[in-house]
Amino acid sequence: MKFNISCQEASQLVSQQIDQPLSLMDSMRLRAHLLVCKACPVVHRNFKAIHQAGLKYALRDEAAGGACPGLSSGAKGRIAKSLRQEKGSGDTGQL
Amino acid sequence: MHNDSRLHAADPDEWLEAHGDALFRFAMKHLRDSASAEDVVQETLLAALQARDEFAGNASQRTWLTGILKRKIADLIRKRSREATFENDAQDGHGDSTELTACLFDQRGEWVVPQRAWGDPDAMFEQNRFWEAFTCCYDGLSPKLSTAFSLREFSGLSIEELCEILNISSSNCSVILYRARLALKTCLESSWFDNPMRRGPS
Ligand SMILES: [Zn+2]
C-alpha cells in the first residue's frame, strides 16, 4: 500500500474519521496529506461543519412556517384513538 | 422543549398534544414519507404507554419519547433493508455519487476546483437561510444516502449499528456516508455559499 494518497482518498479518510477512529497507517497517511495539501484541510473543516449541522438539524423545530408541518389533524385523530383504546385496555390496576 | 419531570398523569392525549408534532418532524427527517412517519409516531406513543412505568423522572419526557422513536425508526429501516437490497445502486436515481466524484476529482484524484473555507460554523448555524439551504440539499439526497446520513447524524448511531441496520459491510457504510457528505457539501456550496444574499453586511 502506498503512503501518498490523493485528495479523493484523503477526503474519504476525513469523512471516515468523523465516524470511527482510523487505523494507525491511515491516520498517518491522512496527516501527511493534510500537511502538504491546501485543499483538504479546508474540506476537513467543512465536513466537520456538516457533521455538526446534522446534529443540530435533527432537533431543529421548524414549526414556525417551516417546510415540514406537524402531524395532520387526521393523523392526530387516528393516533389519539389508538392510544385511548390501548389505555382503556391496559389501565386496570393503574391509579 | 417540555420540562415535565414525570409522567404523572400518563395521559396519552397530552403526550400527543405536547410532543406529537416534534416526534413527527424528527421521523420525517429520517423517513421522508408522512405515512411511515405517522406510523412510527403512533408505535412510539403506544410503546411509551405500555412502558410508562419505566420512565425515569430525571429525563425529560421529550428525550424519553425521542429515544423510543429512534428505536422504532431503526426497526423500520432494518426491516426494509432486508426486504429490498439496500446496496442496489440502480435504485439510487439521480444525485448519486459515482458521477459526483467524477465531477469533483480529476483522474489523479485531485480536487478539480479550489476548496473554499466556510467560516465560523456557529455564525452559519444562526442563519435561517443556511437551514433552508441545508434542508433543500438534504432533501435532494438519494434515499440510500439520506437514510444512512440520518441514522448516523440525526439518530447518532455508531457505524456498527448503522451497518447492521442497513445490512451492509462496514466499508460500504463509510463510502455511503462519504458520498452523502460530499453531495451535501457540493450542494451547500452552490446554493448557500455562492449566494450573495446569504449574509447581512459583514
Ligand atoms: Zn488534498
Side-chain angles (χ1 to χ4, degrees), chain B residues 4 21 23 36 38 49 52-53 58-59 65 69 101-102 105 123 126 145 147 151 162 175 178:
Chain B
D4 326 23
D21 288 340
L23 295 174
S36 315
E38 287 165 10
L49 185 60
R52 65 189 138 171
D53 295 339
N58 50 7
L65 291 170
L69 177 62
T101 38
F105 299 101
E126 296 285 303
L145 299 189
T147 302
L151 289 173
L162 180 59
V175 171
Y178 170 62

Side-chain angles (χ1 to χ4, degrees), chain B residues 14-87:
Chain B
E14 233 169 73
W15 302 347
L16 182 60
E17 228 16 81
H19 308 294
D21 288 340
L23 295 174
F24 175 74
R25 279 191 286 265
F26 187 82
M28 274 297 278
K29 285 167 185 160
H30 290 75
L31 301 167
R32 306 203 298 192
D33 160 54
S34 52
S36 315
E38 287 165 10
D39 286 349
V40 288
V41 170
Q42 175 165 340
E43 283 177 36
T44 296
L45 292 173
L46 286 171
L49 185 60
Q50 283 156 4
R52 65 189 138 171
D53 295 339
E54 291 159 32
F55 176 70
N58 50 7
S60 89
Q61 222 177 69
R62 176 75 60 87
T63 308
W64 184 64
L65 291 170
T66 305
I68 300 173
L69 177 62
K70 283 180 185 176
R71 285 201 299 279
K72 296 289 176 194
I73 292 170
D75 288 346
L76 178 63
I77 296 173
R78 183 186 290 106
K79 190 165 151 261
R80 287 184 180 171
S81 313
R82 276 149 185 79
E83 284 163 359
T85 37
F86 192 76
E87 298 195 56

